[in-house]
Amino acid sequence: MCGIVGLFLKKDELRPQLGDLLTDMLITMTDRGPDSAGIAIYGDETDGMVKITVQSDTPAEAFADLDAAVCAAIDAPVTIKVVDTHAVLTLPESAVKAAIAALEGKGLRIMGSGASMEIYKETGLPKDVAARFGLRDMGGSHGIGHTRMATESAVTTMGAHPFSTADDQCLVHNGSLSNHNQMRRKLAKKGVFTRSENDTEVGAAYISSRIADGATLGEALEGTIEDLDGFFTFVTGTKNGFGVVRDPIACKPAVMAETEDYVAFASEYRAFADLPGIEAARVWEPEPATVYFWER
């Protein structure tokens, strides 16, 4: 049992409130997942630049002069923003692969990369994770979050959601995939590798692989219904929006709400309680084996 939340803002005036609204939604799902929590925020971007989010258990040591070290390794300008155990490095898009190689060589955990996406996740109660990263103060166009009750792998930072396997793409999941080891091997043969033992990362990698092969987000999500076995509710984030799909049995809870201002997703309706205008929203349960997505 885990908790999922997502919020897609239709109006730019609400962007400063994104982190605050998502934090309340996330905390409400604590009893569905007290082991760890995480959130992906799609915020401001700069033309030609990419953000790489990394994590370290010893941030004071690991992040000291990290921007200078990466700058020297890729021969390009680098800026750094340190947020507790995470750091966001901004650098030219052309230098991303070299930068990731340099960061992995220093033993840092890569949370994700993209023009607008930043990922923050850690073990602990959702309210504590949110406070550590100052999630309430973060703005953006949309975001997804997750509270985890571990079943498929250990309670670690790398086992927490969201999982990102391509630029500006990430996934949160409630459920369990029964064929994730088989799918992991299939993806590896295509050159698509995962960093953790978590089944959800395999789902993320599957969707990213389909999109890389030319599928649309909707087509990639439809593919999960046929190719991934088990019980799942997926919410995936992309640079332009987010998508939702449930397996054909749909035993994992899910609810959605839409107003003129936003589209919201949660594992339970109570996560919507503090959203503005929720009393006038159209509220429904996503159908089994049906894809929903909203994009700018």
Side-chain angles (χ1 to χ4, degrees):
M1 183 171 72
C2 297
I4 303 174
V5 298
L7 189 60
F8 175 84
L9 302 179
K10 298 179 180 179
K11 294 186 177 180
D12 288 342
E13 306 93 273
L14 291 175
R15 287 175 66 103
Q17 300 179 46
L18 178 66
D20 192 41
L21 295 171
L22 272 173
T23 297
D24 285 336
M25 295 173 72
L26 196 73
I27 292 173
T28 304
M29 293 291 97
T30 296
D31 59 350
R32 295 193 62 85
D35 296 331
S36 61
I39 196 165
I41 291 282
Y42 290 83
D44 294 334
E45 55 185 277
T46 303
D47 287 345
M49 305 296 281
V50 167
K51 296 182 281 189
I52 303 175
T53 308
V54 297
Q55 186 270 355
S56 173
D57 294 335
T58 56
E61 176 183 337
F63 300 155
D65 300 320
L66 180 61
D67 50 342
V70 175
C71 177
I74 66 174
D75 191 26
V78 178
T79 61
I80 188 170
K81 176 179 69 175
V82 176
V83 187
D84 197 73
T85 58
H86 288 45
V88 180
L89 296 105
T90 302
L91 48 96
E93 183 179 4
S94 59
V96 169
K97 288 185 178 179
I100 288 177
L103 292 164
E104 289 178 332
K106 294 181 178 297
L108 295 168
R109 301 181 180 107
I110 310 296
M111 299 290 101
S113 61
S116 62
M117 183 185 73
E118 298 177 15
I119 290 180
Y120 301 91
K121 58 183 185 178
E122 272 295 359
T123 58
L125 291 172
K127 68 178 180 63
D128 297 330
V129 174
R132 288 176 66 175
F133 295 124
L135 295 180
R136 288 194 183 277
D137 298 325
M138 295 184 185
S141 58
H142 58 291
I144 61 176
H146 187 270
T147 64
R148 182 176 184 230
M149 184 174 289
T151 57
E152 290 295 326
S153 59
V155 179
T156 63
T157 302
M158 288 303 289
H161 304 206
F163 283 94
S164 177
T165 50
D167 283 357
D168 285 312
Q169 295 175 27
C170 65
L171 181 74
V172 292
H173 168 213
N174 180 21
S176 179
L177 302 180
S178 57
N179 68 333
H180 62 96
N181 285 325
Q182 178 187 14
M183 183 58 65
R184 195 188 306 271
R185 290 191 291 270
K186 287 183 178 180
L187 290 168
K189 289 180 180 179
K190 293 180 60 178
V192 179
F193 299 97
T194 55
R195 295 187 174 97
S196 75
E197 297 179 355
N198 194 289
D199 60 330
T200 302
E201 188 177 13
V202 175
Y206 170 85
I207 293 170
S208 296
S209 176
R210 287 292 305 273
I211 292 174
D213 287 343
T216 64
L217 172 61
E219 291 168 343
L221 291 174
E222 287 172 357
T224 66
I225 299 167
E226 296 293 329
D227 295 335
L228 299 180
D229 294 334
F231 304 115
F232 58 85
T233 294
F234 287 147
V235 178
T236 184
T238 70
K239 181 179 178 181
N240 297 321
F242 79 165
V244 174
V245 66
R246 303 171 79 193
D247 69 84
I249 297 177
C251 67
K252 297 301 179 181
V255 63
M256 302 200 70
E258 184 171 14
T259 72
E260 293 182 354
D261 295 336
Y262 58 79
V263 179
F265 174 95
S267 295
E268 298 181 38
Y269 177 83
R270 58 195 170 102
F272 298 156
D274 294 324
L275 290 178
I278 188 61
E279 64 281 352
R282 179 174 74 94
V283 178
W284 76 99
E285 179 182 353
E287 294 290 333
T290 302
V291 171
Y292 302 81
F293 60 92
W294 287 262
E295 294 183 309
R296 293 182 177 277

